[in-house]
């Protein structure tokens, strides 16, 4: 049911990189107010209170007891999502939670049930499928102008596995590694564009650096119920970068290219301890010495790797201005204004759900389906590797002429 309120007060739980990156979207939305934040980092709380004249809390429990808060954005580690969603749902707060939704399907189901039981919306911030170029791709597909979709591909090569990480980000069982953390973005983009349920998944994942003991790359083949095939290729080992194919534009917009090859790997090798690596990660969060100024407007829409959609009558890919369409008779650019961003669209989906009663696309069930692809990709790879290990090449019996 639509709310009688015409604006929402939102609190951010967790002021790391994800939490900090959402702040400009909250500030930009005309009907969402940045009302509070919760984190165990007192220095961040003090800065947040000063910067935004907003309330601060040490825990999510305290924040959710505030009757003026309508919704929360949960930007905490994946293994904490289940408990934090429970606290928010039982406090009757609407919820945006970071991807992946959970580590297991059982956890995801429990979170969905809790939101339904308490009458609150649960939206998962797969911000890359909210990006205007991806939304415009879907619009072109749905128009039928290029005929039916034949195949979808998303390929992303970067330095993810060697960016400063907290311990849980390098543990698959806690939702770490590129298949859980980044595959959830890829599968979300592909599912939005594919327009159907995934019928089958085949995958191979690899852990090629024992010092980073979680999936660092994957190749996943998906087939939809409607017959559309798709591939999701991800490699986070900091060799080739897809930005060479995407106009030097990455997922954060224009890159600050230092000119140092494999800089991420070099930085990690020079880090003397896991504690020092965590300190580097913390420094990239809100107010840290390595934090990005998310208030600065980007000059281009971000690229989450290279996404190409092939249809009967043409192909579509991103360009710095928006999209490039390779039609039957001409190649042309679709310009997309920069005022709209993926994170702003996340906020708007929450607002329209709560205030206008419009059913969100990226709800808990949507996120559960993305999580299922992540889990099945990892399982598929494990099963294929076990099959190869157990396969015995039959010993050839010598024929008489060989005796």
């Amino acid at each position: 049911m639509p709310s009688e309120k015409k604006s929402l007060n939102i609190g951010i739980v967790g002021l790391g990189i994800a939490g900090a990156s959402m702040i400009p979207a909250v500030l930009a939305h005309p009907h969402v107010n940045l009302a509070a934040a919760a984190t165990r980092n007192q220095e961040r709380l003090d800065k947040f209170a000063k910067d935004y004249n907003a309330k601060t809390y040490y825990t999510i429990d305290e924040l959710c007891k505030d009757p003026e808060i309508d919704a929360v954005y949960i930007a905490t580690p994946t293994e904490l999502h289940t408990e934090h969603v429970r606290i928010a749902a039982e406090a009757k707060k609407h919820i945006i939670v970071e991807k992946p939704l959970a580590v297991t399907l059982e956890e995801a189901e429990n979170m969905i049930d809790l939101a339904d039981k308490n009458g609150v919306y649960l939206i998962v911030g797969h911000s890359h499928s909210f990006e205007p170029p991806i939304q415009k791709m879907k619009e072109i597909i749905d128009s039928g102008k290029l005929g039916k979709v034949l195949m979808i591909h998303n390929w992303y090569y970067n330095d993810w596995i060697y960016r400063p990480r907290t311990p849980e980000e390098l543990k698959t069982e806690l939702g770490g590694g590129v298949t859980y953390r980044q595959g959830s973005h890829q599968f979300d983009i592909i599912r939005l564009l594919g327009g159907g349920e995934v019928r089958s998944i085949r995958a191979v994942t690899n852990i090629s650096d024992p010092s980073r003991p979680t999936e660092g790359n994957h190749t996943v083949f998906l087939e939809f119920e409607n017959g559309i095939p798709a591939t999701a290729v991800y490699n986070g080992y900091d060799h080739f970068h897809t930005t060479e194919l995407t106009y030097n534009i990455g997922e954060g917009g224009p890159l600050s290219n230092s000119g140092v090859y494999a800089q991420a790997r070099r930085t990690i090798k020079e880090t003397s301890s896991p504690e020092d690596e965590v300190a580097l990660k913390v420094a990239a969060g809100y107010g840290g010495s390595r934090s990005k100024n998310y208030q600065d407007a980007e000059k281009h829409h971000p690229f989450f790797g290279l996404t190409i959609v092939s249809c009967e009558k043409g192909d579509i890919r991103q360009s710095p201005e928006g999209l490039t369409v390779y039609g039957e008779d001409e190649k042309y650019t679709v310009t997309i204004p920069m005022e709209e961003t993926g994170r702003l669209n996340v906020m708007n989906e929450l607002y329209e759900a709560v205030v206008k009663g419009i059913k969100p696309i990226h709800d808990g069930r949507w996120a559960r389906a993305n999580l299922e692809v992540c889990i099945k990709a990892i399982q598929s790879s494990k099963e294929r590797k076990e099959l190869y290990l157990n396969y015995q090449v039959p010993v050839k019996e010598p024929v008489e002429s060989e005796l």
Side-chain angles (χ1 to χ4, degrees):
M1 290 291 292
S3 169
E4 295 181 359
K5 298 193 68 169
K6 299 305 179 186
S7 64
L8 298 177
N9 291 328
I10 193 167
I12 296 178
V13 183
L15 286 174
I17 295 173
S21 66
M22 190 62 82
I23 291 174
V26 179
L27 297 175
H29 198 289
H31 304 297
V32 179
N33 306 313
L34 184 59
T39 179
R40 294 184 181 277
N41 186 315
Q42 189 61 50
E43 185 176 348
R44 286 179 178 173
L45 286 180
D46 293 341
K47 178 174 173 53
F48 185 88
K50 180 180 178 181
D51 288 347
Y52 304 108
N53 191 29
K55 299 177 183 179
T56 57
Y57 299 95
Y58 195 61
T59 69
I60 185 174
D61 304 76
E62 296 168 349
L63 185 148
C64 287
K65 288 176 182 176
D66 186 336
E68 295 184 352
I69 300 298
D70 302 303
V72 295
Y73 168 54
I74 298 173
T76 53
T78 305
E79 71 270 19
L80 300 179
H81 287 179
T82 301
E83 177 64 8
H84 288 174
V85 165
R86 180 193 66 77
I87 292 168
E90 291 181 349
K92 311 297 184 185
K93 309 299 184 186
H94 301 288
I95 302 161
I96 298 174
V97 62
E98 261 301 315
K99 57 77 204 166
L101 175 60
V103 178
T104 69
L105 295 179
E106 182 181 7
E107 290 174 343
E109 290 287 357
N110 290 339
M111 294 157 80
I112 293 166
D113 290 345
L114 274 168
D116 289 345
K117 177 182 175 182
N118 287 281
V120 298
Y121 286 103
L122 172 64
I123 293 173
V124 181
H126 293 97
S127 57
H128 292 291
S129 74
F130 284 92
E131 292 293 347
I134 302 301
Q135 295 286 320
K136 180 60 75 171
M137 281 186 184
K138 179 171 172 52
E139 183 182 317
I140 293 171
I141 290 168
D142 291 347
S143 75
K145 182 178 180 180
L146 296 178
K148 72 177 183 180
V149 176
L150 301 178
M151 58 183 178
I152 303 167
H153 304 293
N154 178 273
W155 307 315
Y156 201 2
Y157 288 70
N158 60 28
D159 58 0
W160 191 93
I161 205 73
Y162 291 112
R163 297 173 195 167
R165 296 290 163 205
T166 53
E168 72 274 2
E169 292 179 287
L170 299 176
K171 294 180 180 178
T172 303
E173 65 273 18
L174 295 179
V178 302
T179 306
Y180 268 122
R181 295 295 179 103
Q182 300 295 284
S184 54
H185 282 312
Q186 288 184 301
F187 309 141
D188 178 60
I189 290 170
I190 289 169
R191 288 187 59 239
L192 185 76
L193 298 176
E197 294 296 320
V198 175
R199 175 166 61 197
S200 66
I201 298 165
R202 284 175 284 164
V204 175
T205 67
N206 287 292
I207 302 172
S208 68
D209 183 348
S211 71
R212 319 290 278 181
T214 188
E215 290 79 16
N217 66 30
H218 62 232
T219 302
V220 184
F221 180 85
L222 306 92
E223 186 177 4
F224 286 89
E225 289 287 355
N226 56 18
I228 297 172
T231 58
V233 176
Y234 199 103
N235 188 319
Y237 283 115
D238 196 24
H239 297 105
F240 169 68
H241 284 216
T242 320
T243 48
E244 293 186 26
L245 304 177
T246 58
Y247 314 95
N248 279 331
I249 304 171
E251 62 187 275
L255 298 178
S256 54
N257 191 346
S258 69
V260 179
Y261 175 71
Q263 183 175 8
R265 275 188 287 132
R266 293 169 186 265
T267 299
I268 292 302
K269 286 180 180 179
E270 293 168 0
T271 303
S272 58
S273 69
E275 292 75 19
D276 288 342
E277 182 173 350
V278 171
L280 285 174
K281 177 69 182 284
V282 170
Y286 176 73
S289 60
R290 299 177 66 246
S291 64
K292 178 181 177 181
N293 184 356
Y294 292 98
Q295 298 294 103
D296 287 347
E298 299 289 7
K299 296 179 181 178
H300 304 291
H301 291 289
F303 282 65
F304 192 80
L306 177 65
T307 302
I308 302 178
V309 179
S310 294
C311 302
E312 291 175 305
K313 300 177 183 179
D315 300 322
I316 316 168
R317 67 163 294 186
Q318 265 189 264
S319 69
E321 295 77 25
L323 298 178
T324 299
V325 179
Y326 303 80
E328 289 199 299
D329 301 316
E330 63 174 334
K331 169 185 169 184
Y332 58 92
T333 295
V334 177
T335 302
I336 302 174
M338 278 298 303
E339 288 76 14
E340 187 181 343
T341 68
R343 291 185 176 92
L344 182 58
N345 287 339
V346 174
M347 282 294 120
N348 200 51
E349 188 162 297
L350 173 71
Y351 169 76
E352 292 196 337
V354 176
V355 175
K356 299 182 180 181
I358 299 174
K359 187 179 185 300
I361 295 172
H362 301 80
D363 61 7
R365 289 171 179 82
W366 175 270
R368 183 200 178 282
N370 289 335
L371 175 63
E372 186 173 12
V373 178
C374 296
I375 291 171
K376 288 189 174 180
I378 293 171
Q379 289 176 340
S380 171
S381 179
K382 183 179 179 181
E383 290 167 1
R384 292 172 72 84
K385 288 176 181 178
E386 288 176 348
L387 179 65
Y388 295 147
L389 286 172
N390 294 329
Y391 178 71
Q392 298 292 323
V393 178
V395 178
K396 181 179 141 183
E397 293 292 336
V399 297
E400 187 174 337
S401 61
E402 295 176 335
L403 297 177

